[in-house]
Amino acid sequence: MSGTHETGTSPPAGPPGSPPWPPWPADPLPPAAERKLLPDLLRRVTPGGAFDRRHRALPTWRLTLYAGLLAAGIALPGSGLLGPWPMLPAAPLALALVVVFAGYVRRPLLPVLALIAGAFLFVAGHQVEQQRVLAERGEWTEAVVVAKAEGGGRGKQPICDLEFTDGSPPDRVVCHGTSAVGDRLRVLVDPRRAVPPSLGGPHVTGYTVTVGTLGVVFAALVAAGTGAGHRRRLAEAAGPA
């Protein structure tokens, strides 16, 4: 029938003297809406995608191990234990891992839990860095409370504006509810003012345990979800028994 053709073949010739038409593409491009709504990386891990087809041959335990090691490798710099700069690339890498992980697992619970654990990990990692700086070079000094602002919501601690007795530039600190204007407080201050001051001593050990626990939870969720998703895909590929 005229006007029809097979994919990958040349279209019918035009009128005599007209320029030749280019051959039809072997693989038609996906619709523009699909290209915009489905990122290429996520499309590869969906059922039938390139990642899915290539990794169905892997044993479940091996893919689970790879996913857990990858998540742990991202969680370590995100914990703040290696310093502040490794946290910068770790944050987008963790987000990308969770997005791909969600596409492979196809069930929202574990990816959402992994995202929450990763978010808390980076928050605690920031605190680890601050506590480490105070532990390494913090100096105790005295300051006078010149103003106090109560916490804006439930569970929020008040903020006190301080003037230091040694002539250091004024600063503010999270203070206790019993603190009042005119009180003298003993404050741990970073001489370089790279991190906020603190009324208590550095709590490096406590925050290290916290980020370690969150890192293990993050890696375990990614590994467990990947293993479950892989077993389900293998069962779907095998079909009904």
Side-chain angles (χ1 to χ4, degrees), residues 68 71-72 75-76 79 117-118 121 208-221:
L76 180 59
S79 67
L121 172 66
T208 300
V209 172
T210 300
V211 297
T213 303
L214 289 171
V216 170
V217 170
F218 177 76
L221 287 171

Side-chain angles (χ1 to χ4, degrees), residues 73-80 84-99 114-115 118-119 121-123 218:
I74 295 176
L76 180 59
S79 67
W85 298 114
M87 295 182 67
L88 298 178
L93 286 176
L95 181 59
L97 175 64
V98 171
V99 171
L115 182 62
L121 172 66
F122 282 91
V123 172
F218 177 76

